[in-house]
C-alpha cells in the first residue's frame, strides 16, 4: 500500500510525478537498506523488542507523513518517507525464521513456505485497490494513515503470539559478513536479483502492452491474472511432497516461467495476453518457496532472520532495476522484445541456480555449538 499511497499524497499536495516518485523511491530505498540491519538485530536480541519498537516508529512516521503531506517541502516528505520505510519491522523474516522451529524439516516446512509465497500474492491483489478506495472515499492522507494502522495491527498480532515471544537467537560466529558469508546464500540472492529484475521489466511492459490494446487500465487486471497464476501454482506445489531438494525443483519451475513470459511476446490480443500472464505466473510462487527453503537451510547459525531480510533487499533491488530497464526497453525495442528480454532474465536466473547447485545443496557454513538457553524455541 505504501508506495501508491505516498504518490497520491504528494500529488494531492501539488507535487509533480517526479517529486512523488522521488519520495516513494526514498521509502523503498530506506526499506531495502535497513532490512538486513534490523534482521541482524533480531538475531542478536530476539523478535519482540525489535518488532514492537520498529512498528511504533514506522506507524508514527506514516502519521507524520499524512499530516505533513499538503504543506511540507519535498525534502521533509522524503525524510519522513525514509523514516517510515527504514523502520518497517522485519515481520516476514521473523515469521520465516519460526517455520523450521514449529514444523521441522520435511513436507510440512515445504508446504508452509509454499502457502506463504501464495498468500503473498494477495498483497498485490488487495493492497492497491484498498489505497484507491481510501483515497477516493476519504483522502490520500487517510490511505497513508491506513497503511500505518494496518502495520501496527499486523505486527502487534504477530509479536503477541507465543511462538514469536518465545523465540531466542542462536549463538553466532563473530563475523562481520553475517549471513553473507555463506556461498549458498550469496547464490540465492544473486538468483533473486535476476528474477526480480525480470519481473520488474514485465510489470512495466504489461502497462505498455495494455496501452497498445486500447487502455492502460487493462494493466491492472492483467497483472492480477499474473498473481492468480502464481497463487494456483503455489497451492499445487504446496500439496505435493517430493524427495527432490529445492535446488533441483527450482530450475524446471523457472523454465515454466520463462515459457510463459516468452509467450507474451507473441500474444496478439487481450485473451492471449491474459492466458500468457496466468501461465507466466504458475511457476513463480513455487520457485520462491524453493528459495525460502534454501535460505532457511543455508543460513549460518544465528543469522536466519538476517538472511531472510537480505531476500527482501534483493527483491527490492531487482524490481527497481527491472522497472527502470523495462521503461527503456519499451521505448527502444518495443513490447515484444521487452518481454523476450525479461524471459531471458528468468532464464539467466535458472542457469545461475543450475551452475551454483553444489553451493545451494551444501550444508550451512559455520555451525557453532549452541549453548543452553540460546537455541531457537517455538
Amino acid at each position: 500500500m505504501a508506495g501508491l499511497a505516498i504518490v497520491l499524497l504528494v500529488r494531492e499536495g501539488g507535487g509533480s510525478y517526479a517529486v512523488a516518485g522521488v519520495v516513494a523511491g526514498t521509502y523503498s530505498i530506506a526499506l531495502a537498506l535497513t532490512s538486513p540491519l534490523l534482521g541482524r538485530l533480531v538475531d542478536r536480541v530476539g523478535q519482540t523488542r525489535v518488532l514492537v519498537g520498529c512498528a511504533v516508529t514506522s506507524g508514527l512516521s506514516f502519521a507524520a507523513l499524512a499530516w505533513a503531506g499538503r504543506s511540507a517541502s519535498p525534502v521533509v516528505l522524503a525524510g519522513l518517507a525514509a523514516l517510515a520505510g527504514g523502520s518497517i519491522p522485519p515481520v516476514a523474516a521473523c515469521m520465516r525464521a519460526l517455520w523450521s522451529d514449529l514444523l521441522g524439516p520435511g513436507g510440512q516446512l515445504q508446504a508452509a513456505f509454499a502457502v506463504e509465497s501464495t498468500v503473498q500474492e494477495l498483497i498485490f491483489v488487495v493492497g492497491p485497490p484498498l489505497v484507491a478506495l481510501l483515497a477516493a472515499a476519504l483522502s490520500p492522507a487517510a490511505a497513508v494513515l491506513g497503511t500505518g494502522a494496518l502495520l501496527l495491527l499486523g505486527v502487534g498480532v504477530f509479536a503477541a503470539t507465543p511462538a514469536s515471544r518465545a523465540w531466542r537467537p542462536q549463538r553466532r560466529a563473530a563475523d562481520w559478513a553475517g549471513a553473507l558469508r555463506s556461498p549458498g546464500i550469496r547464490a540465492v540472492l544473486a538468483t533473486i536479483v535476476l528474477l526480480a529484475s525480470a519481473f520488474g521489466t514485465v510489470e512495466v511492459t504489461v502497462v505498455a502492452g495494455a496501452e497498445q490494446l486500447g487502455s492502460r487500465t487493462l494493466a491492472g487486471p492483467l497483472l492480477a491474472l499474473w498473481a492468480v497464476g502464481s497463487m494456483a501454482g503455489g497451492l499445487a506445489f504446496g500439496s505435493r511432497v517430493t524427495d527432490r531438494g529445492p535446488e533441483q525443483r527450482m530450475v524446471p519451475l523457472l523454465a515454466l516461467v520463462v515459457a510463459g513470459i516468452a509467450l507474451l511476446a507473441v500474444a496478439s490480443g487481450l485473451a492471449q495476453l491474459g492466458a500468457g500472464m496466468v501461465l507466466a505466473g504458475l511457476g513463480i510462487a513455487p520457485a520462491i518457496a524453493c528459495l525460502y527453503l534454501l535460505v532457511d537451510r543455508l543460513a549460518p547459525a544465528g543469522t536466519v532472520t538476517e538472511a531472510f531480510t537480505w531476500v527482501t533487499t534483493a527483491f527490492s533491488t531487482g524490481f527497481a532495476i527491472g522497472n527502470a530497464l523495462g521503461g527503456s526497453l519499451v521505448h527502444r525495442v518495443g513490447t515484444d522484445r521487452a518481454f523476450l528480454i525479461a524471459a531471458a532474465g528468468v532464464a539467466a536466473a535458472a542457469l545461475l541456480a543450475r551452475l551454483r547447485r553444489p553451493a545451494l545443496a551444501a550444508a550451512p557454513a559455520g555451525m557453532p555449538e549452541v549453548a543452553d538457553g540460546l537455541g531457537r524455541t517455538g
Side-chain angles (χ1 to χ4, degrees), residues 84-95:
S87 56
I88 289 289
V91 65
C94 290
M95 179 173 60

Side-chain angles (χ1 to χ4, degrees), residues 28-29 92 103 123 131 133 217 221 225 256 269 275 281 292 323:
S28 299
I29 291 169
L103 302 174
I123 295 170
V131 169
L133 177 63
T217 59
L225 287 174
L256 179 61
Y292 289 162
N323 286 158

Side-chain angles (χ1 to χ4, degrees), residues 162-180:
S164 178
R165 287 187 289 109
W167 189 88
R168 296 294 180 269
Q170 284 183 307
R171 178 176 292 175
R172 59 183 288 159
D175 189 311
W176 68 269
L180 296 182

Side-chain angles (χ1 to χ4, degrees), residues 122-371:
L122 293 177
I123 295 170
F124 304 101
V125 174
V126 175
L130 183 55
V131 169
L133 177 63
L134 288 172
L138 298 172
S139 68
V144 174
L145 285 172
T147 302
L150 285 175
L151 181 146
L152 286 169
L153 177 62
V155 175
V157 170
F158 178 84
T161 60
S164 178
R165 287 187 289 109
W167 189 88
R168 296 294 180 269
Q170 284 183 307
R171 178 176 292 175
R172 59 183 288 159
D175 189 311
W176 68 269
L180 296 182
R181 73 175 182 269
S182 165
I185 291 293
R186 296 197 298 270
V188 168
L189 295 177
T191 301
I192 289 174
V193 170
L194 287 171
L195 198 58
S197 297
F199 293 163
T201 300
V202 170
E203 275 192 336
V204 175
T205 307
V206 165
V207 175
E211 188 171 0
Q212 291 176 2
L213 292 173
S215 174
R216 279 175 292 183
T217 59
L218 293 173
L222 287 170
L223 291 171
L225 287 174
W226 200 20
V228 168
S230 179
M231 292 174 68
L235 290 173
F237 173 79
S239 66
R240 297 180 59 188
V241 177
T242 175
D243 293 331
R244 299 177 68 207
E247 70 280 358
Q248 295 174 306
R249 299 194 299 272
M250 186 168 55
V251 173
L253 288 168
L254 292 179
L256 179 61
V257 178
V258 171
I261 295 177
L263 285 177
L264 297 176
V266 297
S268 59
L270 182 60
Q272 292 183 15
L273 194 58
M277 292 299 291
V278 173
L279 180 59
L282 287 176
I284 292 177
I288 290 174
C290 288
L291 290 166
Y292 289 162
L293 286 165
L294 289 170
V295 171
D296 181 78
R297 187 178 73 193
L298 295 168
T303 69
V304 64
T305 311
E306 179 192 341
F308 277 116
T309 55
W310 276 113
V311 169
T312 300
T313 297
F315 269 116
S316 299
T317 302
F319 267 107
I321 293 171
N323 286 158
L325 180 62
S328 176
L329 288 172
V330 167
H331 178 71
R332 293 176 180 274
V333 301
T335 57
D336 294 349
R337 291 183 180 179
F339 279 131
L340 289 176
I341 292 172
V346 180
L351 178 61
L352 176 62
R354 180 63 185 86
L355 293 175
R356 297 293 291 158
R357 184 174 288 179
L360 296 177
M367 293 289 291
E369 230 175 88
V370 179

